[in-house]
Amino acid sequence: FRSNALQIFFAFISRIQEYINMSENGLSANEGIKQNSGFLRGTIGESLVDGQTFFGSESDQQLLKFHGLYQQDDRDLRAERKKAGQEKAYSFLVRIRVPGGIVSSSQWLEIDRLAGSYANGTIKLTTRQTFQFHGVIKSNLKQTVAEINKIGMVTFAVCGDVNRNVMCGALPSNAAVHSEIQRLAREISSHLTPQTKAYHEIWLDGEKIVDGGEEEPVYGKTYLPRKFKIAIAAPPANDVDAFANDLAFLAIIENGIVAGYNVAVGGGMGMSHGNEKTYPVLAREIGFCTAEQVVDIAEKAVLVQRDYGDRTERKHARLKYTIEDRGLEWFSSELERRIGYRLQPARKISFTGNGDRFGWTQDDAGLWHFCFFVQGGRLADSEKTSSRSAMRDIAKKHGGGFRLTPNGNLIIANISTEKREEIETVLRIHQISADGGGSALRLHSMSCVALPTCGLALAEAERYLPDLIGELEQTIAENGLEKEAITVRMTGCPNGCARPFLAEIGIVGKAPNRYNVYLGGGFSGQRLSKLYRESVPSSELKPLLAPLIARYAKERTEGERFGDFCIRNGVIAATERGADFHSNIADEAKVKR
Ligand code: SRM
Ligand code: SF4
């Protein structure tokens, strides 16, 4: 107990010190932490072997994120443990970088093994095409990271103030286009990976670099003001939700090949309840470039944000605010100055949806791909599902690999016609169907992790959305809408990890069992939603949404999407730009409950 109390005391002192540093130079505390970290080392190495179950220093907790690791505790157990005078049930989230979501079968088998050996036995497919392990205890962290490294994967730079996992469209119907965007995703990802040897040193027992012997050519010593996200879309699919990214490349496909990319900048989801200075923004297109220009443009866009992003206030530090403050034209000319040429005019693009295409697809090279719905992106073996075992069995038989989709679903990829039956047999044994036995509403639903691991969650998401969808499926069936897709996304807080502001129905945690409901998002991820009702108790969500869905069934025009219907009928005003996200909110939406 004494040593715990001491740890907490020292953590408190170090926090105060950080805040003093911050107020001295006006920069946010994280800037000081990065500056003094020795290129992301801090005292992580020392803390790793201090015999504690947690990292006591605030700086190390922040720096761990750059290494793909978050200190968490089981929030379900907090009250009970506090009452019993026990420390929190600490464990770590381990995020694994998967550019473009592409995983080989042998990697899959190892990921599966590690999930069982070191994590809580589940494999979480995230909304950004990465893997997450939850529940890794501190004494297993180093071994987990080292074993991930052995299969050619890393946890490095998948969190923190750097470029995150680069997403790309997941489902190939045109094999050449997809291999091109996958190649590019990998290239951007490796080009923007920080150069510090800290990761190798701490986790892989790499040689120690003597002070001063290191450089970080793109990022510099203080990295970026905030996280940076890049995606590549292959229209007409917008499964990556391109417009939610700081930077997006939208493939222009002509005669079956990629002719180049439209460049879009300044998207992001996160906001805070009650703070109208924070809001989601859609990325906007600024021009067209060739494939050869993409990586350099990505680097220069990162540099503009590195140099101009707000380092004083983290809630205002994403590229979207840099652009909102300085203007899109300013950004374009600053980018063009750095790349040394003008972007060509953006070309015409249209998207048909931001969901996944489920079931079997044959690409033009003749290979099959099976995409199936993974509830909450969580592969597990439980009373309800044996999806984790199913994928293990398939990975043993199938050399074609897997693709994680940006909606947290999974594709078994590159299956030859001869092999298809064998895969189908395994799927049957484990009762895995493309739609998980659900409606189109369920297939187009997505949630973030939220409780019990996410420290920022205000309400349930992953554990609650399946039940709410079940309730709404009654309304769907009564109105003959089983095959009609409506996008529903739920998050435990307004950070927006499941991109709820780009759903037709967004349900965002406000407090335990209370949610803000957003309507009017575009089906293709092309329009933001707007607040419809605030602080709705979970028991009132179905009564609120069911009549709207029933009305949609009766009054929609041919092919009309739910989000468009809500706007046409005045249920909600359209949000044209991020900056008007908080405007035109119906007064009744703000009624406090
Ligand atoms: Fe996220 C923070 C989970 C995608 C916006 N996100 C978090 C943390 C790490 C909480 C924390 O900081 O302590 C969550 C860990 C929960 C847990 O227990 O696993 C978390 N985010 C996730 C994942 C796992 C959600 C999921 O269910 O799949 C996704 C992992 C993505 C990845 O592999 O990199 C995830 N997060 C997103 C997305 C979607 C996207 O990238 O397309 C967004 C919105 C897009 C954006 O960035 O604007 C997103 N996460 C945030 C934010 C708000 C950022 C902002 O600019 O305001 C935070 C909070 C923060 O950074 O301070 C956050
Ligand atoms: Fe946690 Fe909020 Fe992200 Fe959900 S949206 S995972 S509650 S930070």
Side-chain angles (χ1 to χ4, degrees):
F1 171 79
R2 262 181 70 190
S3 95
N4 269 354
L6 273 176
Q7 283 278 339
I8 292 165
F9 174 73
F10 286 126
F12 179 69
I13 297 291
S14 95
R15 206 166 195 161
I16 297 210
Q17 190 56 50
E18 278 150 16
Y19 282 102
I20 291 171
N21 292 345
M22 173 186 76
S23 53
E24 272 170 5
N25 54 19
L27 298 176
S28 74
N30 288 57
E31 292 304 315
I33 295 174
K34 288 181 277 184
Q35 175 76 37
N36 300 323
S37 71
F39 292 103
L40 307 181
R41 286 172 179 79
T43 51
I44 295 175
E46 292 84 331
S47 308
L48 206 49
V49 291
D50 66 4
Q52 298 292 324
T53 55
F54 55 91
F55 287 79
S57 133
E58 172 69 16
S59 308
D60 285 346
Q61 287 174 31
Q62 293 302 325
L63 294 170
L64 273 174
K65 297 180 185 178
F66 289 81
H67 298 256
L69 312 167
Y70 281 78
Q71 180 162 304
Q72 303 185 316
D73 70 286
D74 187 334
R75 294 181 59 186
D76 285 348
L77 301 178
R78 261 188 204 175
E80 184 186 309
R81 291 179 72 96
K82 192 170 177 194
K83 208 166 157 199
Q86 294 168 324
E87 70 174 28
K88 289 176 178 171
Y90 288 108
S91 68
F92 291 79
L93 177 175
V94 175
R95 192 178 284 169
I96 303 167
R97 193 197 309 168
V98 192
I102 299 150
V103 186
S104 71
S105 296
S106 56
Q107 285 174 327
W108 188 279
L109 287 172
E110 281 300 285
I111 291 290
D112 178 76
R113 184 182 66 75
L114 295 173
S117 310
Y118 298 124
N120 64 359
T122 70
I123 303 173
K124 166 76 187 172
L125 314 177
T126 76
T127 59
R128 239 191 129 70
Q129 292 180 303
T130 65
F131 286 120
Q132 273 187 193
F133 292 149
H134 290 100
V136 180
I137 56 171
K138 190 177 166 202
S139 54
N140 282 336
L141 260 188
K142 188 164 174 173
Q143 190 63 19
T144 308
V145 174
E147 292 191 28
I148 289 167
N149 189 65
K150 280 194 189 139
I151 53 171
M153 299 181 107
V154 293
T155 66
F156 188 44
V158 77
C159 315
D161 297 343
V162 288
N163 177 53
R164 303 289 188 93
N165 197 51
V166 179
M167 289 210 279
C168 87
L171 189 66
S173 45
N174 177 323
V177 166
H178 276 265
S179 71
E180 164 64 11
I181 61 172
Q182 286 161 11
R183 182 192 63 74
L184 214 47
R186 286 194 168 118
E187 215 178 304
I188 298 171
S189 174
S190 76
H191 186 76
L192 293 177
T193 301
Q195 299 296 302
T196 171
K197 296 285 177 289
Y199 182 77
H200 286 84
E201 214 177 278
I202 298 169
W203 308 103
L204 310 173
D205 292 328
E207 203 184 320
K208 287 207 173 8
I209 305 282
V210 203
D211 211 13
E214 224 171 357
E215 268 182 50
E216 198 62 271
V218 173
Y219 295 106
K221 223 177 166 184
T222 48
Y223 296 83
L224 298 181
R226 205 63 164 90
K227 58 180 82 169
F228 196 93
K229 298 186 173 180
I230 303 179
I232 308 170
N238 188 20
D239 52 349
V240 294
D241 258 330
F243 303 114
N245 286 267
D246 296 271
L247 174 64
F249 295 99
L250 319 175
I252 302 295
I253 302 165
E254 285 171 6
N255 304 319
I257 56 166
V258 180
Y261 296 86
N262 278 1
V263 181
V265 294
M269 290 285 100
M271 55 160 272
S272 304
H273 289 310
N275 178 353
E276 297 205 352
K277 288 188 181 150
T278 63
Y279 43 83
V281 178
L282 289 184
R284 285 178 284 168
E285 291 168 64
I286 55 169
F288 169 90
C289 69
T290 65
E292 294 68 40
Q293 295 168 335
V294 165
V295 175
D296 189 48
I297 289 175
E299 179 192 306
K300 299 303 184 303
V302 162
L303 293 184
V304 176
Q305 167 64 357
R306 180 197 67 184
D307 297 345
Y308 289 96
D310 184 351
R311 289 180 187 263
T312 64
E313 160 62 292
R314 282 181 74 76
K315 280 194 185 301
H316 187 257
R318 291 289 293 271
L319 177 63
K320 63 182 179 183
Y321 298 119
T322 315
I323 293 178
E324 290 292 300
D325 292 350
R326 293 170 179 267
L328 193 62
E329 276 177 23
W330 167 84
F331 181 86
S332 295
S333 56
E334 186 59 29
L335 178 71
E336 287 172 345
R337 188 181 69 71
R338 292 176 190 238
I339 57 179
Y341 56 88
R342 305 272 324 246
L343 293 172
Q344 298 174 44
R347 305 209 180 155
K348 200 166 163 40
I349 278 186
S350 65
F351 288 109
T352 51
N354 60 359
D356 289 330
R357 190 150 35 99
F358 293 94
W360 290 95
T361 300
Q362 190 173 30
D363 67 30
D364 54 1
L367 289 173
W368 292 94
H369 309 269
F370 181 74
C371 177
F372 70 98
F373 177 70
V374 182
Q375 185 75 67
R378 185 78 63 176
L379 289 167
D381 288 341
S382 66
E383 284 158 21
K384 289 187 187 157
T385 168
S386 57
S387 57
R388 187 180 144 213
S389 293
M391 290 311 111
R392 187 189 318 124
D393 292 351
I394 285 174
K396 284 180 190 162
K397 295 174 189 297
H398 158 69
F402 297 82
R403 282 186 201 149
L404 319 190
T405 84
N407 288 292
N409 298 312
L410 189 60
I411 295 171
I412 307 165
N414 304 316
I415 304 164
S416 63
T417 303
E418 302 75 57
K419 199 88 181 164
R420 182 173 155 169
E421 204 179 311
E422 200 182 340
I423 303 285
E424 278 176 319
T425 307
V426 184
L427 292 172
R428 243 190 328 273
I429 292 169
H430 290 280
Q431 299 179 329
I432 292 190
S433 58
D435 60 5
S439 61
L441 181 81
R442 189 175 295 271
L443 291 181
H444 286 75
S445 69
M446 178 158 77
S447 63
C448 72
V449 177
L451 294 163
T453 53
C454 179
L456 305 178
L458 304 170
E460 296 281 354
E462 183 186 326
R463 297 193 294 195
Y464 171 47
L465 184 64
D467 295 341
L468 178 66
I469 294 287
E471 289 176 33
L472 292 174
E473 275 175 335
Q474 294 164 5
T475 311
I476 290 286
E478 284 158 19
N479 290 281
L481 292 175
E482 292 92 333
K483 301 220 174 311
E484 297 298 324
I486 299 174
T487 50
V488 184
R489 293 174 176 179
M490 176 181 278
T491 56
C493 84
N495 281 321
C497 298
R499 301 184 289 273
F501 309 116
L502 286 173
E504 293 177 295
I505 302 175
I507 304 170
V508 175
K510 182 85 190 295
N513 288 318
R514 284 181 183 264
Y515 295 86
N516 281 4
V517 174
Y518 296 80
L519 295 178
F523 184 76
S524 304
Q526 82 287 13
R527 184 181 59 237
L528 290 166
S529 56
K530 195 177 281 295
L531 181 64
Y532 176 63
R533 291 288 184 274
E534 199 172 4
S535 276
V536 182
S538 41
S539 58
E540 287 178 26
L541 285 171
K542 183 185 172 189
L544 180 74
L545 294 169
L548 285 173
I549 292 174
R551 203 177 140 198
Y552 168 65
K554 291 184 189 71
E555 297 174 21
R556 71 196 153 133
T557 56
E558 178 75 28
E560 189 174 34
R561 293 293 177 186
F562 182 76
D564 300 335
F565 171 84
C566 288
I567 289 169
R568 181 173 63 81
N569 284 283
V571 176
I572 198 86
T575 298
E576 302 300 342
R577 296 244 309 103
D580 75 33
F581 183 72
H582 296 292
S583 68
N584 301 327
I585 296 172
D587 282 344
E588 46 188 327
K590 294 182 176 167
V591 170
K592 291 271 180 294
R593 288 157 196 266

